[in-house]
Amino acid sequence: RLTLDTEPFLSCDDCFDLVDTYAEALLSDPDYDLPTMRTHLAGCAACAEEARSLIQLVGEQDGLDPAPALRRLEDDDLT
């Protein structure tokens, strides 16, 4: 992960500020994309785990299947 291209750049603090909205958007819109977030989550295991947890939690609360959003997140994970 240390050799991944980090452009466009997003800090962990910025990611934390956006992760709730990002998780909800992935659940509700299969075409949603935020390149800065996608890039950050591919290179930051801690933030990616937070996103996965939120997707599962919000999906369960809203009665949505989190699997498609989780797959999108995993597809972007370059590990």
Side-chain angles (χ1 to χ4, degrees):
R1 290 181 183 224
L2 293 174
T3 61
L4 291 176
D5 183 6
T6 59
E7 293 300 325
F9 179 76
L10 185 72
S11 72
C12 288
D13 288 337
D14 293 335
C15 180
F16 185 76
D17 291 341
L18 296 170
V19 72
D20 294 344
T21 303
Y22 185 74
E24 290 173 359
L26 283 181
L27 283 162
S28 64
D29 180 0
D31 296 322
Y32 182 77
D33 187 30
L34 184 59
T36 54
M37 183 66 98
R38 185 171 20 92
T39 299
H40 183 84
L41 295 177
C44 181
C47 289
E49 180 57 35
E50 179 73 13
R52 280 190 289 276
S53 295
L54 280 171
I55 288 169
Q56 289 178 309
L57 178 67
V58 171
E60 289 173 10
Q61 285 181 337
D62 294 351
L64 300 169
D65 180 11
L70 290 170
R71 276 193 299 276
R72 281 195 61 203
L73 200 62
E74 295 303 319
D75 288 345
D76 291 338
D77 189 358
L78 302 176
T79 59

